[in-house]
Amino acid sequence: MAFSPSSASSSPVRSRTRIAVVGAGPAGLMLSHLLARAGIDSVAVDVRTRHEIEHTPRAGILEQRSVDLLADSGVSDRVHRDGARHDGIVLAFGGGGHRIDFQALVGASTLLYPQTDVFADLADARERDGGDVRFGVRDVAVDELLSDTPVLRFTDADGTRHAVRADFVVGADGSRGPCRSQVPEARRTRFARAYPYAWFGILAEAPPSAPELIYSHSPRGFALISQRTDTVQRMYFQCDPAENVADWSDDRIWTELQERVGANGHRLKEGPITARSVLPFRSFVQEPMHHGRLVLAGDAAHTVPPTGAKGLNLALADARVLAEELERAVTHGSTAPLAAYSERALRRVWRAQHFSYWMTTMLHTPPDATPFDVRRQEGELAALTGSAAGSAYLAEGYTGWPRER
Ligand code: DHB
C-alpha cells in the first residue's frame, strides 16, 4: 500500500513487546531468534529491505563457535551442507607462500559461508517461527530509555505508524544507525582509529584460483583471494579510500590483482567481474555498551577493519551473550545484567580489535611507507610463519577464542 498522509497524521498503532530490536541484520535477528527460544517476545525493525541486505556482498568466514551457534540453535542446517571447511590460510610475502595450518596448530577450522547466507538463514528461521520482523520501515526513533518502558517508534512499509513499548531496546543498527548516539556524550567513551587505505572488493565469475584463502603482502599493496562457490569468487585489493569504482575496468582490476599475487608466485583464474565496491576501514568501540534500558550489539557498538573477518563473528557472539543477560534482566526486572553483558562482550571485542588491527597493519602498505617499512613487515611475517608459537597465535585468533564467561 502506498504511503498516505492521513495514516501519518492519525495516532500510531500501539503495542507491547519484551524486547524492541532496531536493526534486523545478523546481530538483531540472531538475538530475536535466541530470545524466542527462551520464550521472550521481540519486535525487530530495519530501514533496509530484506532484498537489499541479502544482496549486499559482505565477508565470508565463520569461526567454529559461530557455526555451532547457527546449527545448535536451529537456525541453519545449510551452514554444514553448503559451507566449505578451511583448515588453514596462506600468508604470501617476499616471493612465496606460507601455509598456517589451523588444525595442526590449534585443532580448529573456519567455515567459508557468506554473511549474506547467514542473514538469509536467520530471516527464514524468524519467518518459520512466526517472529515479528519488519523490513523497509522508516522514521525509526527510540525514546524514554531511562523509563521502565522505553518506546520504539517507526513507520512500516505500508505507511502505518507504530509505537511499541518494551522492557528493553536493543540497538543492532550498524555503524551508521542512530542508536549509538542515544547514549549521552557524558555517559560514553568512543575509541576510534582511521586507516589510510580501503579495500576494493569484487565478485567474479571464475573458478577458484586456490583451495584456501591467500593473504598476499606485496610492495604494490595487499590483496586477498577468497572464494564463494565453484563458479563465483570474492577478491579484494588495498586501494585509496577515495578510489572511484567507475575508473576500474575488468582488465585494470585483473592486472592489479595479478601483479600483487604474482609477486608471491600465484596466478589467478580470471572471468567477468559482476560486483565492485570500495570498503572503508575503521576501528571503533563505544563503551559501555548500554545506557538506561538501551543496549548496543554488533557494529552499532564496535567496528573492525575487515582483515581477518571478525565483524560478523563478533556480532553473533554479542547476540549470544546478550540473549543470556536479557533473559536474566526480564526474569528479575533489573537492568544490572545489561552492565554484565557490556563487560563480557567488551572482553572479546578488544581482543578482536587488536587482532584485526594487527592483521591489517602487518599486511597493508601505508601510502607513505618507506623501503624500511616494507622490509620490516616482511621480517614480521617471516618471524611469524617461521615460529610454531607465532603461527599458533595467529591460528588461535583467526579461528576464534573460547566463549567468555
Ligand atoms: C573474506 C573477507 C575477509 O575480510 C577476510 O579476512 C577473509 C575472507 C571474504 O569475504 O571471503
Side-chain angles (χ1 to χ4, degrees):
M1 195 204 305
F3 172 74
S4 75
S6 59
S7 63
S9 55
S10 61
S11 56
V13 176
R14 294 176 198 285
S15 58
R16 184 75 172 81
T17 190
R18 284 290 195 182
I19 314 291
V21 185
V22 184
L29 290 186
M30 178 52 95
L31 178 72
S32 63
H33 171 74
L34 294 173
L35 290 171
R37 284 173 56 90
I40 299 170
D41 301 338
S42 65
V43 174
V45 300
D46 204 296
V47 292
R48 299 164 298 176
T49 62
R50 179 173 167 162
H51 185 272
E52 262 174 271
I53 306 176
E54 215 167 318
H55 292 89
T56 305
R58 303 295 297 263
I61 295 292
L62 292 177
E63 298 172 2
Q64 183 60 49
R65 276 170 205 84
S66 300
V67 177
D68 293 346
L69 182 64
L70 288 164
D72 298 349
S73 73
V75 173
S76 176
D77 300 329
R78 196 158 72 98
V79 67
H80 282 307
R81 213 173 46 244
D82 295 352
R85 181 176 142 172
H86 283 225
D87 292 339
I89 56 169
V90 171
L91 288 183
F93 62 94
H98 307 259
R99 182 165 187 262
I100 304 284
D101 185 336
F102 299 155
Q103 275 298 329
L105 291 159
V106 293
S109 296
T110 55
L111 207 73
L112 190 120
Y113 190 73
Q115 175 167 333
T116 42
D117 290 23
V118 171
F119 166 77
D121 290 348
L122 281 163
D124 286 348
R126 292 313 293 129
E127 206 171 304
R128 174 196 72 201
D129 297 344
D132 191 344
V133 181
R134 321 276 180 99
F135 292 104
V137 307
R138 54 198 161 82
D139 308 330
V140 176
V142 296
D143 211 355
E144 300 177 51
L145 298 171
L146 298 179
S147 78
D148 286 346
T149 52
V151 61
L152 163 66
R153 300 179 203 283
F154 64 94
T155 303
D156 70 20
D158 294 334
T160 307
R161 291 192 305 133
H162 294 265
V164 184
R165 291 256 166 216
D167 293 3
F168 299 96
V169 173
V170 176
D173 52 344
S175 55
R176 287 185 289 270
C179 283
R180 63 160 67 144
S181 295
Q182 297 302 308
V183 182
E185 263 182 73
R187 292 295 173 107
R188 57 165 155 86
T189 308
R190 287 183 167 178
F191 302 87
R193 187 183 201 284
Y195 297 82
Y197 34 72
W199 274 2
F200 197 111
I202 64 157
L203 283 172
E205 283 173 4
S209 292
E212 291 180 333
L213 271 65
I214 303 172
Y215 287 80
S216 194
H217 173 271
S218 92
R220 287 183 69 85
F222 173 71
L224 170 59
I225 309 310
S226 183
Q227 298 94 22
R228 285 294 177 268
T229 64
D230 289 346
T231 54
V232 176
Q233 310 310 318
R234 180 84 168 137
M235 301 181 194
Y236 305 92
F237 60 93
Q238 174 187 344
C239 68
D240 189 292
E243 201 62 71
N244 183 357
V245 290
D247 293 341
W248 287 79
S249 65
D250 284 22
D251 275 356
R252 187 175 173 208
I253 291 171
W254 284 119
T255 303
E256 191 61 47
L257 279 165
Q258 295 287 16
E259 286 204 27
R260 295 189 189 195
V261 302
N264 298 318
H266 292 104
R267 175 96 203 142
L268 303 173
K269 295 186 179 142
E270 301 183 8
I273 294 170
T274 55
R276 64 196 80 202
S277 60
V278 172
L279 290 78
F281 272 45
R282 188 170 164 75
S283 299
F284 175 88
V285 181
Q286 177 167 308
E287 293 187 5
M289 288 167 64
H290 67 103
H291 170 68
R293 285 181 176 254
L294 171 71
V295 62
L296 302 174
D299 275 10
H302 44 75
T303 309
V304 289
T307 330
K310 284 281 168 262
L312 170 61
N313 292 291
L314 276 183
L316 295 176
D318 278 0
R320 184 177 55 68
V321 177
L322 183 53
E324 283 174 21
E325 296 295 350
L326 280 176
E327 197 179 339
R328 284 192 190 114
V330 165
T331 309
H332 303 296
S334 153
T335 57
L338 305 193
Y341 156 71
S342 178
E343 274 171 36
R344 290 174 67 191
L346 283 167
R347 285 200 284 274
R348 172 177 296 265
V349 165
W350 279 110
R351 285 180 174 207
Q353 285 292 347
H354 167 66
F355 183 79
S356 306
Y357 161 91
W358 173 61
M359 287 279 285
T360 296
T361 53
M362 179 167 65
L363 290 163
H364 291 71
T365 316
D368 61 353
T370 62
F372 172 86
D373 297 327
V374 174
R375 282 282 188 275
R376 189 206 60 75
Q377 285 178 321
E378 289 172 351
E380 181 176 9
L381 286 158
L384 182 79
T385 52
S387 150
S391 299
Y393 175 77
L394 189 146
E396 195 173 44
Y398 197 98
T399 57
W401 303 281
R403 52 177 297 171
E404 54 297 296
R405 298 285 138 211

